Amino acid sequence: MMEDRILAHLEIIESVYGVEILNKSRVVQWIGEITDDDKQALTIATALNTWIMMNSTGSGLEIPITVLEQIQANLISKSR
């Protein structure tokens, strides 16, 4: 269920920026593995939205694992 919501967020991001997230299924899986909290998942999707806005070339892009790890680290540090 969480993965469906995450996928929907990423598909909206793709639609807004006219880009294809090439590793979308892996990103969905990764987010689902690190949280089952709707608020955290939305926070991650919002961070990815900003990253994609800044890095999109209008075609396909892959979200690096380092970006995902940085978002996770920021979430952990803010929850302390």
Side-chain angles (χ1 to χ4, degrees):
M1 186 77 157
M2 173 67 69
E3 284 82 6
D4 292 339
R5 288 190 291 266
I6 297 165
L7 179 61
H9 283 297
L10 295 180
E11 288 174 344
I12 289 170
I13 292 168
E14 287 179 319
S15 175
V16 167
Y17 297 111
V19 66
E20 179 184 0
I21 300 170
L22 301 173
N23 60 337
K24 181 171 47 183
S25 62
R26 177 62 189 121
V27 172
V28 169
Q29 179 185 7
W30 179 85
I31 296 170
E33 288 172 359
I34 67 161
T35 188
D36 60 358
D37 180 84
D38 284 336
K39 184 177 177 181
Q40 281 191 345
L42 179 58
T43 300
I44 294 167
T46 301
L48 288 174
N49 179 69
T50 302
W51 186 87
I52 290 168
M53 176 187 67
M54 300 298 292
N55 292 281
S56 174
T57 61
S59 57
L61 70 98
E62 188 167 313
I63 299 170
I65 189 69
T66 55
V67 169
L68 299 172
E69 290 169 342
Q70 184 62 49
I71 291 169
Q72 181 181 15
N74 287 340
L75 278 176
I76 291 169
S77 69
K78 290 181 191 232
S79 66
R80 292 181 183 171

